[in-house]
Every structure is written in structure tokens, then in C-alpha cells.
Amino acid sequence: MANTHPFVQHVGYLHTGAAGATTPDLVRYTDVNTDPTFIRSGGINDPVAVFDGSVIPYGINGTPTLLYTSVSYLPIQWTIPYTKGSETQSLAVTYDGGKNFTKLNEGPVIPGPPFPVTNVTGFRDPYVFQSPQLDHVANSTTGIWYTVISGGIHGQGPSQFLFRQYDADYRDWEYLGQWWHEAANSSWGDGTWAGRWGFNFEVGNVFTLNDEGYSNSSDAEFFTTLGAEWSEVPIIPQVSQFREMLWASGNVSNSPNGSVHFEPTMAGKLDWGVFAYAAAGKLLPATSQASVHSGTTVDRFIIYLWLTNDNFGTSAFPTVQQGWSSTLTTVRELSRGTISNVMNDYLVAGPASWRIASQDKSAGTVELVTLNQTIAREVRAAFVSNATRTITEPGRTISASASGYGNASSNDLNFAQSPSSKFFMLTTTIHFPAVARNATDLKAGLKILSSEYESTSIYYQFANESLIIDRSNSSAAAATTPGILSNNEAGRLRLFNIASGSANGSSSIESLALTVVVDNSVVEVYANDRFVLSTWVWSWYDESTEISFLHEGSVAVRFDDVVVYEGLVDAWPARP
């Protein structure tokens, strides 16, 4: 959950109910209470649990109003029959700036799935939003509120259910249909760029973006983020073998019966990390304290992800050892991204996580659009300005002999200086020659958290167009500590051919711009403003802080703009 008002950003997460914090700058956070929980289960509507929800900033009587999933029965899981009445949507309001939310003394405002859609796989996580574009399509009163509820239908597939505010007090909501539905366990294209839609949707967000950020302008496009649950056959009751955090963008239309539909035109993964899930975002207006402080004059859509480290509650490690479980990722800002001067060749074919926006036939190029996601500018600036040490490594071209490919030594791949801690942001750009695309043996990237005992490798390979975090040697404790995972994490990223602009129609491979954030055991890899992979790396030894270049293969590559900003920022200064 996340909510804004003109002064400070509120960020929420599920913890013994729903808990929250405030941040004036997206960098430092303060719990709303000593016990950060602001709403708990135990009411008439939610005797069993409180699930996710979102806030209307000026709701009932002008006060922040939470629409959340109130739970009366468990278990709820897409692999088993649904108990009617398990999940309803209820309201609560706050009178103290979000420290506590008081539940309305009345029944649920959305008492269940709309008839005859009753055999659902789930019906939860209401996300509230406003949209002038949707007002027009749905013939709604200007400024009305909508909510999209995530779930699916047994035997049919996952869905997002769309409702519209019906009365001024938000107590009645009109059903506008299955805003989006996909066939059970289908995929976008062959699944290469966006995984699977699965059997059940969760935590759906809906918003509109243009090239600058959040926008309601006519050129803005609809986007949605969503969690998809699925399993391979045989499906085991009450087990989701896979949870994927996805995004999609597309067109919205209405039907003669008044229902509204979303049709994807591109889709991808919001985060390729296996344990990165349950993204929650909200409009951050230009008038917010964070934006004013940073000099940002545009509205933005910011988003956090939950990074679970106990395999979604199925592993005792590391909760027992460290006394806490999971974290939020670094906050990101989303926008519609453009990739210009791309050669119109086989690499641009879809469906994929991009689409062709325009074409220049005379130049033989196209312009692609996709979802851009970057570290929030305030956070990135804080990592730079608060660095206790800044290390600049000279650029270099690394060939097969320098990398030890064959019989040569690889000592000269080490950084001249490495951080002394496991808290840093590293940036670099890797350039590839044209022959690299067909070099199946090429791997290029970085080795981090390294010592003679352990190391973690991050590299790109053209063989399967993937960025990989190799954790096979990341922790010396893995062999003796059940729960420390040493399998690789990987995600797909296509580097396009970019036109040089010369008369002969030549081109070069798009460079790989990497940003790696290491926050002790959390590693987040950002690439080309459109790729993120977040995971856990449990390096054991204090001295495992060395960094080196990684290169394997017969083709030389060049590393430029290599900078390490050590220190990061204490995000929770008031916590012990």
C-alpha cells in the first residue's frame, strides 16, 4: 500500500495486519507508531485477516480512507475451491494522519465477487485510482474513483475486476466487468519476455504514464502491474510453485453492455527476481514534499516491491537467525520509455516487452516504447551525495588474453580499489563489438562481494540474451546452513542494434548500462532503465568486499564510467 498527501509520503506493508511509515524524501523513513501496525484483523468484517488495500487521500468527510480486503475464512488459494464470503472489501478512515485507521461500523462495501462470477480463485487487493481517460471511455462523472480487484475464475483464468464509485461516501461500488481476463496459464507470446499469466492475479495496480512519468494527458498510456500465480503439472493443493511480478500496457475500450476492457499491447517482468513480488505504487504529485525538496516539477508514479527471503514463508531461514524476514526494495519511479534509432530487423519482432511506436522507412529504423523503471531520483542522489567514499575505476578494454581465456593470467581484472563494506552503488557501461551477438562463449560483467572464499558474479551473455546473478559460490556458509540458496537468478534483456546515422546504414549493439545496489545481503541489478533483478546474497566473510571485472570468451569488450559510491543511507534512522 502507498498513499500521498501534499506534504509527506505514506508507505504501507503487511505486518500483523497493515503497517506503515512516512518519508519526506523517499530516502529516510519513520514508523507511524512504535508498533508500526495501523490496522489489525479482528473486526466484524475481518475476523481472520487483513489483506492488501489502498487509500483515497480525501475520502469520507475529506479524510484519508482505506479500501482493503477483509478476510473471514482461510485458507484461500487458487488451487482449492473458494469459500463464499472469504474475501470482502471494507473501509476504514484515519483521523491522526495515518497512525491508526478506524474501521467503519458497517458491512463490507463490496461484499464479494459480482454475480454470476462466484467460482473465483481470489478476490482481493483493491487498488483505487482516478483516470480522466477511463472517465471518457466508461462515460463516468469526471473525477470519479475506480478500484480494480485482483483474482480469477476457476477453470477460466486470472482476471482484474473493475468497479466504479457509486455514491459520494464510497459505500457503494458499481461493477464494470472483468477489466482484464486471460486464459488459464497462458502467456504473453511464448512467455520469453513476460513469464506466464498463471491461474490467479494478485496486487494489481492501474495507472497512466507518458515519457515524463505519471500523466492524465491524452498521450499517456494505460499500464498495470500484477502478481501472477501458477504451478507446473501436477498442481499441488495450496501450493503456488511460481509467483511472478509482471507489468502490461495496452488499450482500453468499452462494450455495448457498458463493460470496460483492457487489451495488452506489450508486457514484461517488473522484476526478474524469484522472490520479488507484491509491488505497490501510487501517484507522487509534484506538490509532494519529496518532489518539492528535489526540485521535481512533474507528477510521478513510484513503486515498491516486497523482497521475501524465506521463500514466501516456507523456509525457517533466515528469520530464526536474524529475527526478521523480508524487506522492501529500493523505491523506483516508472515512466513510458523510448528506444530510438533501432534498426528495423528481426530483433524488434513481438509480442514482447516493447512495441513499435513509429517507423522511418528511409532510414530503416523504428522507435520502440517500453516501461522505464529507475531508482527514484532522490534515492540515487542520496547514494551519491552521502557516499563515505567514491571509487572511480579507469575504463578498460578486456580481451580474451587479459581475462585468462586460455592460458593467460586474470589478475589485471581486479579493481584497483574496492569498497571496505557491503553497502554501495556501482555504475558502469559495457560496450560490445558487432561480432559479440554471435559469440556464444561471451560473458561480461562484474564479480562482487568477493574474497578467496566466496564471490558473486553478475554478467550478460548473448547466448540467451540474459543478465545472470551467479550465486553458486556466493556464500561459504551455504553448505552448512539450510535455506541459503545458491542457484542462479536470471532475466531476459535484449540489446538492440542502434543505427549509427551514417549513409551506409551501419549500426552498433546497444551498450549495457548497469547500476548495482548492494545493501549487505540484498543485491539489485538495474539495466538500461528497463530491467531489474533483485535477490539475496548471503556472503559470510567480512572481507568479502572485493570487486573485479568479469570477462569470458573470445570477443573483447570495453568497460567505461566505472564508479562505486560506498555507504548508502540509513533508511530507518529512528529504529534501534
Side-chain angles (χ1 to χ4, degrees), residues 375 380 383-384 424-427 515-517 563-565 568:
I375 298 171
R380 192 180 188 96
F383 288 168
V384 173
F424 60 87
M425 179 176 72
L426 183 158
T427 61
T515 296
V516 180
V517 177
V563 185
V564 179
Y565 303 95
L568 301 184

Side-chain angles (χ1 to χ4, degrees), residues 96-175:
D96 56 9
K99 293 183 177 181
N100 298 281
F101 275 81
T102 302
K103 303 167 189 176
L104 267 60
N105 188 26
E106 58 183 56
V109 295
I110 303 178
F115 182 82
V117 183
T118 56
N119 188 26
V120 297
T121 53
F123 188 70
R124 55 182 169 271
D125 309 331
Y127 181 79
V128 294
F129 64 100
Q130 292 174 298
S131 170
Q133 295 95 320
L134 193 52
D135 291 346
H136 175 73
V137 173
N139 295 315
S140 301
T141 302
T142 301
I144 207 78
W145 282 88
Y146 302 90
T147 186
V148 64
I149 298 175
S150 300
I153 303 174
H154 278 287
Q156 297 183 28
S159 298
Q160 289 182 348
F161 304 97
L162 183 65
F163 291 79
R164 174 173 57 193
Q165 172 194 356
Y166 188 78
D167 71 312
D169 290 329
Y170 309 94
R171 286 169 166 82
D172 293 296
W173 294 79
E174 178 185 4
Y175 181 54

